[in-house]
Amino acid sequence: MRRKLVIAVIIIACFLLQSTVFKTLSIASISPNLLVVVTAAFGFMRGKKEGLFVGFFSGLLIDLMFGSVLGFYALVYMFIGFLNGFFRKAFFPDEILLPIALIALSDFSCNLVTYFILFWFRGRFQFGYYLLHTILPELVYTMLIAVLLYFILFKINQKLEEIEKRSETKFG
């Protein structure tokens, strides 16, 4: 129960930061996607099930506040969390390269799916423009923030695992 409450607080805090602080700190109207970082990080740190859970609620928040189609971002983020969960066995706490690469791939994939579903199918075929002016700048900005945010999420996850292990030995 404690883990779910902490994750809910993390999702809400990152959503608020993404939609307020980082919107004002946007560069050329581009801001980092903190919820992709959270979804991807919990996916590969905790597995497919937790990635699905975090992705669904992260995407649902975006859908409720900014989305034009309810459930679109919830579905996209669920897939991101689930697919990152496949890398749980390859996750080593002291390695930073794999998590950052997965976060980058997740952000790129999220923007690619968003482009094809929300723009391309509506007849807006300027992919090169969208790639150079939205996808790549957001990817760079997200990666810069992801290095710091990942370490924070990693430390929170470690602390939660320590608490869970102590509970198991106490009551197990």
Side-chain angles (χ1 to χ4, degrees):
M1 185 61 164
R2 176 180 289 144
R3 176 175 287 280
K4 289 181 180 163
L5 185 62
V6 169
I7 290 174
V9 168
I10 289 170
I11 291 170
I12 291 168
C14 285
F15 173 76
L16 290 173
L17 284 170
Q18 180 176 322
S19 59
T20 57
V21 174
F22 283 105
K23 284 290 183 201
T24 60
L25 296 175
S26 65
I27 300 169
S29 73
I30 301 296
S31 55
N33 195 337
L34 302 181
L35 292 176
V36 163
V37 176
V38 170
T39 301
F42 277 103
F44 59 75
M45 284 192 297
R46 299 288 302 163
K48 295 178 254 184
K49 185 177 176 184
E50 192 134 346
L52 265 168
F53 172 77
V54 172
F56 174 75
F57 287 106
S58 296
L60 190 61
L61 267 176
I62 294 172
D63 280 333
L64 291 173
M65 299 306 286
F66 305 113
S68 57
V69 178
L70 186 62
F72 172 73
Y73 286 105
L75 186 63
V76 170
Y77 280 62
M78 279 174 53
F79 278 122
I80 288 170
F82 181 76
L83 292 176
N84 276 285
F86 281 105
F87 292 93
R88 181 164 188 228
K89 293 194 189 310
F91 172 69
F92 295 105
D94 55 344
E95 187 179 322
I96 185 73
L97 188 59
L98 178 65
I100 295 301
L102 288 174
I103 290 168
L105 185 62
S106 297
D107 186 61
F108 185 77
S109 301
C110 180
N111 282 315
L112 211 55
V113 168
T114 300
Y115 168 77
F116 281 112
I117 301 294
L118 297 182
F119 294 102
W120 192 71
F121 284 143
R122 294 163 122 187
R124 297 181 185 161
F125 300 115
Q126 298 87 10
F127 179 72
Y129 181 85
Y130 190 74
L131 179 70
L132 291 175
H133 292 91
T134 303
I135 294 176
L136 293 179
E138 181 184 305
L139 179 66
V140 171
Y141 201 180
T142 300
M143 294 295 66
L144 292 173
I145 300 300
V147 173
L148 176 65
L149 182 57
Y150 170 73
F151 280 116
I152 294 169
L153 295 173
F154 177 70
K155 292 296 180 189
I156 290 171
N157 185 55
Q158 274 186 326
K159 190 71 172 168
L160 287 171
E161 285 179 351
E162 286 174 17
I163 292 169
E164 289 167 354
K165 283 181 184 175
R166 277 188 270 151
S167 286
E168 285 177 12
T169 57
K170 191 185 232 183
F171 296 111

